[in-house]
Amino acid sequence: MHELSVAQALVDQVGDLAGQHGAKSVHLIRVRIGPLAGVVGDLLATAFPLAAAGTPAESARLDWVAAPIVVRCRTCGAKTEAQPNKLVCGACGDWRTEVVSGDELILETVELDIPESAGD
Amino acid sequence: MCDTCGCNVTPGNAKFAYKPVEPGATTISVLQGLLKKNDDQAEHNRAHFDKRGILAVNLMSSPGSGKTALLEATIKALKGELKVAVIEGDLETENDAERIRAQGVPAHQIVTGTACHLDAHMVHDALHHMDLDGIDILFVENVGNLVCPASFDLGQHANIALLSVTEGDDKPAKYPVMFRGADAVVISKTDLLAVLDDFSPDKAERHVRELANPAPILRLSARKGEGLDAWLAWLRSQLAAQRARVAAGRTQRPAIQPEGALMHGAEA
Ligand SMILES: Nc1nc2c(ncn2[C@@H]2O[C@H](COP(=O)(O)OP(=O)(O)O)[C@@H](O)[C@H]2O)c(=O)[nH]1
Ligand SMILES: [Mg+2]
Ligand SMILES: [Zn+2]
Ligand SMILES: [Zn+2]
Ligand SMILES: [Zn+2]
Ligand SMILES: [Zn+2]
């Protein structure tokens, strides 16, 4: 399961951010996962505590949201929702589309506990 | 300065760059890929390849789809024309690297142990064991797995997904992340089509198109040599394109990270 590798990468990244900002701990981590990113949110949430143990993210809550899949048709220009294995245009049916949302794997925000004296 | 200034905001994610507030805590907007460290390492690997004018190609498929067999046939066919090197990824054993070395080509085996995919750091470590001078094409044979390898950029310029005719023509619909990110799809072991009448290459192709993927579908048999010419022609055209990019100071990421490409301003 590569969700553990992804969780470790996330914890590393959050640890760097905490260090840069002089934070003593991390409250909340918000990530956004598209179905086409190849990472299962629930598995990531399960793997997260394992990866976070002993790091500044140890007591953080991981909040993940699923992004919808939206494609833009290169033929008719319509923007429609789509399924992971049917990325065709919902308006005209053409397969020549581009994914505008649904393949992201993004750390959106972190909420840090920063002591008064520490700065950026 | 820090990495959180918002310079990673792209048209696709700009609307999420909000800053909620909660008393007692400081929220910072990050908007980085979750695999940023891997992606940075992958960029670094790609710079190594670009500096030497090397085309790097990542081969992905289920175990046993014929990745190593295709490499063996490719090396034989390109002998005297192009210099090839191979990085092999497997959970255990040096077997595949030995098969490649038997063809007279340098190969480094990455034994991943429990990791079911390669990442950019493993590939960078492997590069330190290889002499890349004079190499035209570096192939990376990923761990046999249709799921995770698709999520990790290794620094390659192109992804190949192999689908052997013994696996069923609906695999692209079942593993959309992998097949959506392929720059070329190889339908392998076509010599067995005669006995496997339930595999329709046309249907497999249709499933790939339904993933909005215009990639060429190359039907071939590494064992019999059928269809190999089109594959070799594709490789030569990719190498020519890579050399043109290098001459122009540009690079190319594989099809899997469109968001990342936006963030880094590389050619889509
Ligand atoms: N009939 C047939 N068998 C093949 C072909 N290519 C590979 N194989 C067989 O498929 C098995 C797995 O091949 P291998 O290259 O090791 O697959 P990998 O795990 O993807 O590297 C071996 O027994 C090969 O001999 C082919 O074109 N035709
Ligand atoms: Mg192999
Ligand atoms: Zn349309
Ligand atoms: Zn910046
Ligand atoms: Zn290096
Ligand atoms: Zn994996």
Side-chain angles (χ1 to χ4, degrees):
Chain A
M1 265 313 122
H2 61 304
E3 277 76 6
L4 182 57
S5 323
V6 177
Q8 274 156 353
L10 172 64
V11 165
D12 269 7
Q13 204 175 333
V14 169
D16 287 354
L17 288 166
Q20 282 166 13
H21 289 85
K24 58 182 203 301
S25 65
V26 181
H27 287 308
L28 177 71
I29 300 170
R30 286 186 59 106
V31 301
R32 184 174 177 87
I33 305 175
L36 293 168
V39 169
V40 181
D42 284 332
L43 293 179
L44 182 66
T46 307
F48 176 74
L50 283 168
T55 78
E58 178 149 37
S59 56
R61 185 160 64 88
L62 176 68
D63 208 5
W64 70 273
V65 288
I69 300 178
V70 177
V71 299
R72 180 171 41 224
C73 183
R74 293 181 200 274
T75 304
C76 80
K79 259 195 202 179
T80 51
E81 286 207 20
Q83 295 304 308
N85 59 10
K86 281 238 160 47
L87 301 174
V88 299
C89 173
C92 76
D94 201 311
W95 61 265
R96 277 162 282 244
T97 66
E98 60 184 322
V99 170
V100 294
S101 158
D103 59 356
E104 56 270 71
L105 182 61
I106 291 175
L107 171 57
E108 287 186 351
T109 55
V110 292
E111 228 175 71
L112 303 174
D113 188 358
I114 302 174
E116 281 301 315
S117 56
D120 192 5
Chain B
M1 281 308 293
C2 66
D3 291 330
T4 58
C5 58
C7 59
N8 289 309
V9 179
T10 68
N13 66 23
K15 59 181 176 295
F16 309 115
Y18 62 92
K19 298 195 178 211
V21 277
E22 188 172 299
T26 303
T27 298
I28 56 175
S29 175
V30 186
L31 291 175
Q32 283 175 349
L34 244 55
L35 294 171
K36 181 172 189 304
K37 285 196 169 175
N38 184 77
D39 293 348
D40 288 348
Q41 181 66 60
E43 286 301 319
H44 174 92
N45 294 352
R46 211 166 355 255
H48 276 304
F49 303 140
D50 292 344
K51 199 169 75 193
R52 292 173 176 79
I54 295 173
L55 172 71
V57 178
N58 177 31
L59 273 75
M60 297 180 284
S61 78
S62 311
S65 300
K67 297 180 293 301
T68 313
L70 176 60
L71 287 177
E72 290 169 317
T74 304
I75 291 162
K76 273 200 188 94
L78 293 177
K79 199 152 280 176
E81 179 189 342
L82 294 174
K83 275 191 79 179
V84 169
V86 179
I87 293 175
E88 287 286 346
D90 269 303
L91 297 172
E92 294 294 345
T93 85
E94 283 262 339
N95 294 352
D96 282 2
E98 279 161 15
R99 280 168 65 184
I100 298 300
R101 285 184 207 118
Q103 301 295 323
V105 155
H108 180 80
Q109 181 80 48
I110 301 175
V111 178
T112 61
T114 54
C116 43
H117 57 268
L118 295 179
D119 66 33
H121 294 93
M122 296 180 199
V123 168
H124 189 256
D125 288 346
L127 295 178
H128 283 273
H129 295 278
M130 305 182 80
D131 179 9
L132 294 179
D133 285 344
I135 298 296
D136 298 298
I137 305 181
L138 174 76
F139 290 103
V140 180
E141 179 179 336
N142 218 309
V143 180
N145 177 345
L146 279 176
V147 185
C148 342
S151 297
F152 294 85
D153 187 0
L154 307 177
Q156 74 274 28
H157 303 99
N159 284 322
I160 310 294
L162 282 86
L163 169 61
S164 68
V165 303
T166 54
E167 293 173 69
D169 50 29
D170 60 348
K171 276 287 183 301
K174 287 184 175 161
Y175 297 92
V177 178
M178 171 68 62
F179 286 93
R180 186 173 90 86
D183 297 283
V185 174
V186 168
I187 295 181
S188 61
K189 310 191 191 182
T190 52
D191 56 293
L192 299 176
L193 275 174
V195 289
L196 286 159
D197 54 1
D198 60 341
F199 186 99
S200 160
D202 289 343
K203 223 179 257 174
E205 179 159 352
R206 205 147 58 235
H207 285 305
V208 173
R209 297 295 172 248
E210 284 173 351
L211 302 176
N213 188 344
I217 315 286
L218 303 163
R219 306 173 186 193
L220 60 83
S221 162
R223 179 165 300 178
K224 298 280 196 264
E226 306 158 0
L228 218 55
D229 285 346
W231 157 249
L232 297 171
W234 183 84
L235 278 177
R236 289 187 191 101
S237 73
Q238 293 293 307
L239 179 60
Q242 165 67 355
R243 286 176 175 162
R245 279 192 300 268
V246 167
R250 287 181 292 121
T251 190
Q252 168 175 281
R253 310 178 116 231
I256 39 176
Q257 290 96 6
E259 190 89 17
L262 274 175
M263 288 176 183
H264 293 82
E267 181 184 318

